[in-house]
Amino acid sequence: ARLLHGSIFAKVIEGLRELVNEATWECSGNGITLQAMDSSHVALVSLVMRSEGFESYRCDRNMSLGISLVSMSKVLKTMGKDDSLTIRVNDDSDSIIIAMESQNQDKFADYELRLMDLDSEHLGIPDTDYSCAIKMPSSEFSRICRDMSIMGDSVLICTTKEGVKFSAKGDLGQGSIRLVQTTNIEKEEEAVIIEMKEAVALTFAVRYLSMFCKAAPLSPQVGLSLSEDTPLMCEFKIAEMGHVRFYLAPKIED
Amino acid sequence: MNRQLGISTFFLTL
């Protein structure tokens, strides 16, 4: 699999590696997918990178590759920001080859990472017709998570037709941030757009939301989908090739 | 206090 902009892959890895340290990458003719839960099985991440999004892609037979995201992240940190990236696995090999090429083709780096033997537990993610779908700038969402984490470890997300409200309370006291739906949309990327079938009010652990925001460099917008008694879906699109979707189970009043 | 649910409460293991 070859990417002209290797930085896209680095952003994917940086977006996943705090939530999951290692994961099984499923490679097929259609592209690469990954599904993994965090260690406490509270959150799940689903990655899709379609083959047509790569500059070139070939997969002669389906492979499940156990990869340490922490090690992959260390290797990708050596990549130049404009480097192209090629990832290769030979048929009977127990390692993955990561090749980086500088833009003016004068520097070639090759790394080989040992593959891991991981037992991949796969969950079925049901198609959900969410009560509420919010689109907002990913930087804004990152900022809200950071600000709310000052006040408490849980954030209540309430949606109404006017907008969406994030609130947190703890020993210090409490705080809330309300975003109003954008009316005159000049730039889609900066808009807050709320499609609401019915109002929802759900509580989530803010430290997971903050971990999801590590994937924000992938996309200027984030999609948040909510329904009562349903995991939140937090989606960052990967331009022209797929998405990273995080799911987080809600917290409930005892 | 609110209690954190597990993701497998909602998504079934295949």
Side-chain angles (χ1 to χ4, degrees), chain A residues 85-111:
Chain A
L85 176 71
T86 303
I87 294 183
R88 221 186 348 264
V89 179
N90 296 323
D91 214 338
D92 51 359
S93 142
D94 62 355
S95 60
I96 182 170
I97 297 167
I98 301 164
M100 306 165 192
E101 260 173 58
S102 65
Q103 204 175 21
N104 44 21
Q105 313 257 317
D106 59 1
K107 176 180 173 187
F108 301 85
D110 280 284
Y111 296 89

Side-chain angles (χ1 to χ4, degrees), chain A residues 37 41-42 122-124 126 229 249-252 254, chain B residues 1-8 10-14:
Chain A
M37 283 185 280
H41 288 199
V42 162
H122 215 78
L123 295 190
D229 304 323
K251 298 179 93 168
I252 54 168
D254 253 344
Chain B
M1 259 320 261
N2 40 37
R3 183 163 53 93
Q4 175 65 61
L5 295 172
I7 195 77
S8 21
F10 303 91
F11 296 164
L12 303 180
T13 310
L14 294 182

Side-chain angles (χ1 to χ4, degrees), chain A residues 1 31 61 79 81 123 146 151-152 158 199 205 222:
Chain A
R61 74 176 173 80
M79 180 168 60
K81 72 177 177 57
L123 295 190
R146 197 179 58 207
M151 298 314 288
C158 293
V222 63

